[in-house]
Amino acid sequence: MGVETADTFRVLIVDLEGIGRAPAGERFLRHELEARGIGPDVISVRSAGLTAQDGGPLHPRTVKAIEDRGADASGYTQRQLNRDWVDEADMIICGNGADRDEVAARFPAAAKKTFSLSEIFYLYEMVVAIAPLREHPALLMSRVAGADLTDDFDLPPMSHDPVELEARIEALADQIQRAAFWVATIWQSMLPEDPSSRPAMQPGDHQVDLVAFGVTVRVVCTGDAPYTLATLVDRTWLWLKAPAPHEGEPDVTISIAVYADEDARLQARADGWMTYETLSQAMHFLSSTVTVRAIDRRAGQLVMLHAAGLATPDGKVVGFVAPSGTGKTTISRTLGKHFGYVTDETLAIEFDGTVLRYPKPLSVITDRDARLKEQMPAHDLDLMRAPSSLSLARVVILNRDPDAGDEPVVEQMPLLHGLAVIAEQTSYITHLPAKLHTLADTVESVGGVWRVTYREAAHLVALVPALADGTVDLAEAEVPAAVGGVA
Amino acid sequence: MSLPDFPSPVELDDGARLRSEVDDFIERDGQLLVLKGNDLTLLSHVASAAVLATMDEEQTVVSLAEILIDLYGVPEGVDPAIAIRQIVAVLVERGIVHALP
């Protein structure tokens, strides 16, 4: 466990008084991260109150609630929210919408990285299903405005009435602990591997070797039924299976344990395994882990877009760019029955325009209450395999509109407006050799950025060949005003 | 009068020196897409001009206002001294422009 560095992802939790919800969030989240071997050099967590008294004590009832749940409450003193902490934070999580609004009012520049707990809870896995951690705030924020969210995961402030406080605090603590567990589990699935804490394989463990856009990946399975887990991985990830076992050390190793028993999970977690209670959970998070760790390994080497990719028979790829949860998987399922399925999530493009196939299992929400996406193998969905030689032919922004007509409308975006959208859906843009210019070169080499407005994915089937060949009647896109006025 | 839909004007003296600092940008037809850290901002023409003017050499609030007025004229019904500080406020808020000590 090291100290914070420039690469540390810094989380700041904020509430009103800084004596209850935020400190509890800090300590529970630290506890959950530490239990997963994630040190403060990787993710740091601290908290502050909007009206806290610097140096003041934690509410004694908060101390008890934290310690009753096995976390450490020692050494905490109140901290009032200050500009330095706000500036340093990569993500700010507030107890509720009122706290979020107050943070944004005091520090307008922080509004783009500040969220209520309900926004985090309801949007997170929909929006940032598969992306490196540092990209999460922007991806989340891009969806907050249009999201119709309830605020029932928000946390009310502590009460000063002893009877009301007693009634409220246990429920609050349970809710915060649950959120901390859940967020830590998501974050763990999207972090690079720390090889120094990799658990050793034991007799009876099984492994599956995959290749994800040129990155060799080994999934090691242990737990109650390692063979069953490995078989499930093998079958679900069939189209990405390595043609032969990796020779030597793979680029990425993912160590997964599935135990029904909680004590067994705790032990496995302490031993360095990514640990889940059910096979469904393991498969859900594996999709993120494989993808994000492969993205991490290819940072700076490829242009990697959050996009679905479909290929014509002669290998021309149309990339459909859209934020998570706005239609990429549906597009892939629908169009992939007619065209080669390249990917539903990460379109990996070499600088010469060559596209690398990443036909991962499609993540489909089947049980919203369980907050899991079922991983459906492409071959079970009758999708077509993409040709082995692929090149980028078009970059298209998806704009699904329930009021659109049957005929999709295709528009040419002004380059900067299009790039602004595409860049937000690009992983590790800061690592690209010429940053924005590398992305612009890639996009301009295939005719700039187009946008398609459509109602149903099926309406796009007939359009794909024309998109790939450039034989589409283009409308001129209306674009919103840019930042800093409309001059 | 101030510019509508802009933040409050930043509190700077006329002689305060301004400089822009970005990690990368693309310019098309006088408009900029700017990368600063992990943040992307698509700027309007007038904000783009402000950034370009303060990129290679520092400008005071007054000299920057003169440059923008030369390019775009005085916005109708708006106090230029307030308008320039509102535009700068947007850019400061995004970390693209900062006032030199």
Side-chain angles (χ1 to χ4, degrees):
Chain A
M1 304 270 174
V3 296
E4 291 185 29
T5 71
D7 292 330
T8 302
F9 186 73
R10 292 175 171 80
V11 179
L12 176 60
I13 304 175
V14 177
D15 70 1
L16 184 62
E17 295 171 306
I19 57 171
R21 296 166 297 159
E26 174 193 295
R27 294 309 170 99
F28 285 139
L29 191 48
R30 285 184 183 177
H31 178 76
E32 293 296 340
L33 292 170
E34 189 179 343
R36 289 161 177 77
I38 302 169
D41 55 328
V42 179
I43 300 176
S44 72
V45 183
R46 56 187 176 186
S47 63
L50 289 158
T51 62
Q53 304 296 315
D54 279 326
L58 200 54
H59 194 291
R61 195 59 186 80
T62 305
V63 174
K64 183 175 186 311
I66 292 172
E67 292 178 341
D68 283 352
R69 287 162 179 78
D72 179 13
S74 64
Y76 192 95
T77 55
Q78 292 180 44
R79 279 84 53 124
Q80 190 169 57
L81 187 64
N82 61 75
R83 177 169 295 281
D84 285 347
W85 282 22
V86 168
D87 288 348
E88 289 166 14
D90 294 298
M91 176 183 278
I92 301 173
I93 303 173
C94 297
N96 57 39
D99 297 343
R100 174 205 58 208
D101 292 345
E102 181 59 26
V103 172
R106 291 190 195 181
F107 307 98
K112 62 181 183 293
K113 59 183 178 184
T114 305
F115 306 93
S116 71
L117 194 57
S118 289
E119 287 169 344
I120 293 285
F121 191 77
Y122 287 114
L123 273 181
Y124 215 115
E125 84 263 18
M126 312 287 257
V127 172
V128 290
I130 295 174
L133 220 55
R134 200 163 290 283
E135 297 168 15
H136 290 194
L139 292 171
L140 268 176
M141 189 50 69
S142 70
R143 292 294 306 285
V144 164
D148 183 19
L149 299 177
T150 65
D151 60 2
D152 58 2
F153 211 82
D154 277 6
L155 304 174
M158 300 273 283
S159 171
H160 292 285
D161 175 74
V163 177
E164 193 179 343
L165 173 68
E166 196 54 41
R168 185 181 291 178
I169 193 140
E170 290 298 322
L172 273 175
D174 284 344
Q175 195 168 347
I176 296 168
Q177 186 183 32
R178 182 179 161 213
F181 178 91
W182 175 77
V183 167
T185 303
I186 290 179
W187 285 348
Q188 182 193 26
S189 77
M190 295 190 226
L191 284 173
E193 184 195 17
D194 176 6
S196 68
S197 62
R198 183 187 302 163
M201 272 188 80
Q202 302 295 325
D205 293 348
H206 289 266
Q207 66 186 43
V208 181
D209 284 354
L210 310 172
V211 180
F213 35 93
V215 178
T216 56
V217 179
R218 175 162 292 156
V219 182
V220 181
C221 306
T222 194
D224 296 329
Y227 177 75
T228 303
L229 175 59
T231 303
L232 194 55
V233 173
D234 185 288
R235 189 179 178 287
T236 307
W237 288 79
L238 188 63
W239 282 11
L240 287 162
K241 203 172 166 199
H246 299 317
E247 292 181 9
E249 188 76 4
D251 297 323
V252 167
T253 298
I254 300 168
S255 306
I256 296 181
V258 176
Y259 287 107
D261 177 67
E262 186 175 2
D263 290 339
R265 287 200 302 277
L266 287 172
Q267 182 58 53
R269 193 171 294 147
D271 292 340
W273 295 87
M274 299 176 71
T275 308
Y276 305 103
E277 186 177 359
T278 66
L279 292 171
S280 297
Q281 286 177 354
M283 296 304 290
H284 169 94
F285 287 107
L286 178 64
S287 197
S288 305
T289 307
V290 171
T291 306
V292 174
R293 290 188 179 178
I295 289 173
D296 282 327
R297 291 298 295 224
R298 299 307 304 267
Q301 301 169 5
L302 300 170
V303 174
M304 294 177 282
L305 308 179
H306 300 304
L310 282 306
T312 58
D314 56 351
K316 292 177 181 169
V317 175
V318 179
F320 293 101
V321 180
S324 290
T326 60
K328 290 197 301 290
T329 298
T330 303
I331 288 284
S332 300
R333 285 182 74 173
T334 305
L335 302 186
K337 289 183 167 67
H338 305 268
F339 303 97
Y341 170 56
V342 178
T343 183
D344 74 332
E345 178 59 47
T346 303
L347 189 61
I349 310 158
E350 295 185 338
F351 299 144
D352 67 357
T354 300
V355 171
L356 305 180
R357 285 185 300 180
Y358 185 51
K360 62 180 265 304
L362 287 83
S363 304
V364 179
I365 298 173
T366 52
D367 184 351
R368 204 168 281 277
D369 290 339
R371 313 184 69 73
L372 297 177
K373 290 183 179 179
E374 185 177 348
Q375 306 305 308
M376 306 183 81
H379 54 88
D380 274 3
L381 296 168
D382 295 328
L383 304 192
M384 293 174 62
R385 277 184 184 268
S388 56
S389 178
L390 299 171
S391 62
L392 187 67
R394 194 70 54 204
V395 177
V396 182
I397 295 168
L398 283 177
N399 180 34
R400 185 168 179 274
D401 179 357
D403 298 324
D406 289 348
E407 285 293 318
V409 176
V410 185
E411 301 160 297
Q412 173 88 52
M413 298 280 287
L415 182 70
L416 289 194
H417 287 76
L419 269 183
V421 176
I422 302 288
E424 209 163 60
Q425 301 299 328
T426 303
S427 283
Y428 283 115
I429 194 167
T430 56
H431 288 55
L432 291 173
K435 300 186 175 70
L436 281 172
H437 291 78
T438 303
L439 180 64
D441 288 347
T442 300
V443 167
E444 286 191 292
S445 70
V446 294
V449 181
W450 293 9
R451 178 174 66 188
V452 62
T453 300
Y454 69 104
R455 192 177 76 242
E456 299 294 340
H459 296 162
L460 298 178
V461 173
L463 193 61
V464 171
L467 288 172
D469 292 335
T471 53
V472 176
D473 289 333
L474 285 173
E476 193 167 324
E478 287 184 18
V479 294
V483 169
V486 294
Chain B
M1 279 278 291
S2 59
L3 293 169
D5 303 325
F6 271 69
S8 301
V10 64
E11 290 185 19
L12 289 173
D13 296 336
D14 284 352
R17 297 173 301 143
L18 302 169
R19 193 74 188 261
S20 59
E21 196 177 328
V22 302
D23 295 319
D24 194 19
F25 69 94
I26 289 183
E27 180 185 4
R28 288 289 186 281
D29 302 324
Q31 195 172 7
L32 297 185
L33 176 63
V34 168
L35 179 67
K36 173 75 177 179
N38 287 303
D39 296 331
L40 284 154
T41 309
L42 178 60
L43 297 174
S44 70
H45 284 89
V46 69
S48 299
V51 170
L52 288 170
T54 51
M55 192 170 284
D56 295 328
E57 55 182 333
E58 64 189 52
Q59 302 287 344
T60 64
V61 172
V62 168
S63 67
L64 180 59
E66 288 169 350
I67 290 170
L68 297 184
I69 288 170
D70 276 351
L71 288 169
Y72 295 102
V74 178
E76 197 174 331
V78 175
D79 181 344
I82 293 177
I84 185 65
R85 286 170 172 79
Q86 287 184 283
I87 292 167
V88 170
V90 171
L91 298 170
V92 167
E93 189 179 299
R94 289 170 182 264
I96 296 169
V97 166
H98 57 272
L100 298 172

